[in-house]
Amino acid sequence: MENDSTPVRFPTKVVVLLRDDLEGWQALNVTAFLSGAVTAAVPELVGEPYADADGTGYLPMLGQPILVMQGSKEVLTAARERANARGLPLAVFTKDLFATGNDADNRAAVAAVAAADLDLVGLAVHGPRNGVDKVCKGARMHP
């Protein structure tokens, strides 16, 4: 087994940005959905499958950390605008999605609202480190 403790500096960054007024269960739910979006959109970020010492296999995970940050509704709205202006891949989770029960209804709820009027409670962005940092300006690390 390899154990190299040299820190890795990834050329890209993944951030899930959550609205700071979410209940705990909501923050976890939104983080899970948005992390899945990044995994689906950027499959090359997925590492190799895991196995324990007994040989039991486990699913692979993202090979790069996901930073979870938070900010106000205004911070999320500005981050969405900056990500789009920079052409960075972006996933969104709106407040309306807490009332839906399936993917088709989720997409319909987002499609029914103009981009500027989305009631964002979370978003995920992936891209070059400095670009993602600029997109997330004003956000802070989630406690």
Side-chain angles (χ1 to χ4, degrees):
M1 177 189 312
E2 224 176 277
N3 188 6
D4 184 359
S5 62
T6 305
V8 175
R9 182 157 170 88
F10 297 96
T12 62
K13 184 180 268 189
V14 180
V15 171
V16 169
L17 177 54
L18 302 172
R19 203 157 82 190
D20 57 9
D21 61 352
L22 295 179
E23 294 183 38
W25 73 267
Q26 291 173 316
L28 292 170
N29 185 267
V30 172
T31 300
F33 271 94
L34 293 173
S35 297
V38 171
T39 303
V42 194
E44 60 270 20
L45 293 179
V46 177
E48 297 296 321
Y50 285 69
D52 61 28
D54 298 325
T56 305
Y58 303 99
L59 295 173
M61 294 188 276
L62 287 179
Q64 177 173 339
I66 296 178
L67 298 176
V68 180
M69 303 181 81
Q70 68 178 12
S72 67
K73 181 177 181 175
E74 294 77 19
V75 167
L76 269 75
T77 298
R80 186 200 62 77
E81 291 168 359
R82 288 191 291 262
N84 281 334
R86 292 178 171 277
L88 294 178
L90 182 68
V92 297
F93 197 105
T94 66
K95 190 172 184 179
D96 295 334
L97 303 188
F98 289 126
T100 59
N102 61 72
D103 191 48
D105 289 342
N106 288 350
R107 285 192 314 276
V110 173
V113 180
D117 297 326
L118 291 171
D119 190 3
L120 296 171
V121 296
L123 60 84
V125 61
H126 169 255
R129 297 179 63 81
N130 65 341
V132 172
D133 288 342
K134 289 175 182 173
V135 164
C136 296
K137 182 179 176 184
R140 60 194 181 282
M141 291 301 292
H142 194 277

